[in-house]
Amino acid sequence: ETGVTQTPRHLVMGMTNKKSLKCEQHLGHNAMYWYKQSAKKPLELMFVYNFKEQTENNSVPSRFSPECPNSSHLFLHLHTLQPEDSALYLCASSQGAGFQETQYFGPGTRLLVL
Amino acid sequence: DAKTTQPTSMDCAEGRAANLPCNHSTISGNEYVYWYRQIHSQGPQYIIHGLKNNETNEMASLIITEDRKSSTLILPHATLRDTAVYYCIVFVMNSGNTPLVFGKGTRLSVIA
């Protein structure tokens, strides 16, 4: 238990569906992240939020839309996804977004797009 | 791009020490070496980090060479539950403050 929770843990959706992934951290951290991990690929950073402000968008397609209403919650809104978007989506948090910060990861949401 | 190179896979007998190497020959003076691991179907887990000196905690030891161009993560008594992908990471500074870049890691298999 790292203090970072993600829901749902598993999600199956069609290409025309709209769904949202939720992440919550109970660590009092100020920075939160979304990562994507496809099969046999390295972790890919998607978005970074620091004090609720987006500081990094790593060339992510617009069908992925993040939302950070406060420092403890992070959402990833999904719409019109493609089968190749099927992956494990990981949320992480850290005290700050600086280069020395240790990130704590949630268990991930395993997404399957049909 | 990841700034580290690691072997793709390694095996280790249960109860023996697992020594996982990492090369980071282009590391900058202010960059730390971090190690994470990811057990199958779980999120990455922080293990240890260091700058220049060797470090030890309840999970592992980190040995960094004097020139800082390589390091070794040591799991002193590997168990079956240590089977995972181990990531060696050097922080990359850019305008967006991206703190971590994950490479492909080393898949460690602990064998009974």
Side-chain angles (χ1 to χ4, degrees):
Chain A
E1 182 62 43
T2 62
V4 181
T5 59
Q6 289 185 243
T7 54
R9 294 293 307 276
H10 301 272
L11 178 63
V12 180
M13 61 186 289
M15 289 190 284
T16 59
N17 292 155
K18 290 184 180 180
K19 297 287 184 182
S20 296
L21 309 184
K22 179 183 177 181
C23 176
E24 184 175 0
Q25 57 96 0
H26 311 274
L27 301 168
H29 289 167
N30 298 309
M32 297 187 75
Y33 313 81
W34 279 116
Y35 286 87
K36 174 184 177 182
Q37 186 170 37
S38 305
K40 301 181 181 179
K41 286 186 179 180
L43 275 172
E44 301 172 63
L45 178 67
M46 300 176 73
F47 301 104
V48 181
Y49 277 82
N50 193 25
F51 289 98
K52 301 186 297 179
E53 298 297 322
Q54 187 180 125
T55 60
E56 184 84 16
N57 178 337
N58 207 20
S59 302
V60 181
S62 60
R63 57 186 184 271
F64 295 92
S65 175
E67 178 190 0
C68 188
N70 54 61
S71 294
S72 299
H73 294 85
L74 185 64
F75 295 89
L76 187 62
H77 303 300
L78 316 172
H79 63 96
T80 60
L81 294 192
Q82 304 299 312
E84 58 265 29
D85 296 322
S86 299
L88 179 68
Y89 288 85
L90 290 157
C91 173
S93 73
S94 62
Q95 186 61 49
F99 66 96
Q100 297 182 23
E101 302 291 344
T102 301
Q103 293 188 7
Y104 295 84
F105 286 80
T109 294
R110 188 163 294 282
L111 173 68
L112 177 62
V113 181
L114 300 176
Chain B
D1 291 335
K3 294 179 64 175
T4 63
T5 54
Q6 299 175 251
T8 302
S9 63
M10 293 181 62
D11 292 338
C12 178
E14 188 179 20
R16 305 295 293 269
N19 298 297
L20 294 96
C22 178
N23 288 324
H24 32 79
S25 58
T26 60
I27 191 171
S28 301
N30 61 351
E31 289 179 318
Y32 283 66
V33 179
Y34 271 66
W35 283 83
Y36 282 73
R37 72 179 182 184
Q38 189 172 19
I39 296 170
H40 182 62
S41 296
Q42 298 182 21
Q45 177 189 23
Y46 166 78
I47 301 175
I48 198 167
H49 75 283
L51 182 63
K52 294 181 180 179
N53 300 322
N54 298 336
E55 303 288 344
T56 295
N57 62 21
E58 65 277 4
M59 290 183 67
S61 295
L62 175 61
I63 309 298
I64 303 174
T65 58
E66 191 169 345
D67 62 9
R68 304 215 314 130
K69 292 185 177 182
S70 66
S71 61
T72 301
L73 178 74
I74 301 173
L75 307 179
H77 306 286
T79 70
L80 298 178
R81 285 179 293 183
D82 292 321
T83 294
V85 178
Y86 286 77
Y87 296 96
C88 169
I89 302 154
V90 168
F91 280 122
V92 176
M93 289 292 292
N94 60 32
S95 60
N97 269 332
T98 306
L100 291 176
V101 177
F102 286 82
K104 296 184 178 180
T106 297
R107 184 172 298 277
L108 175 69
S109 298
V110 180
I111 303 167

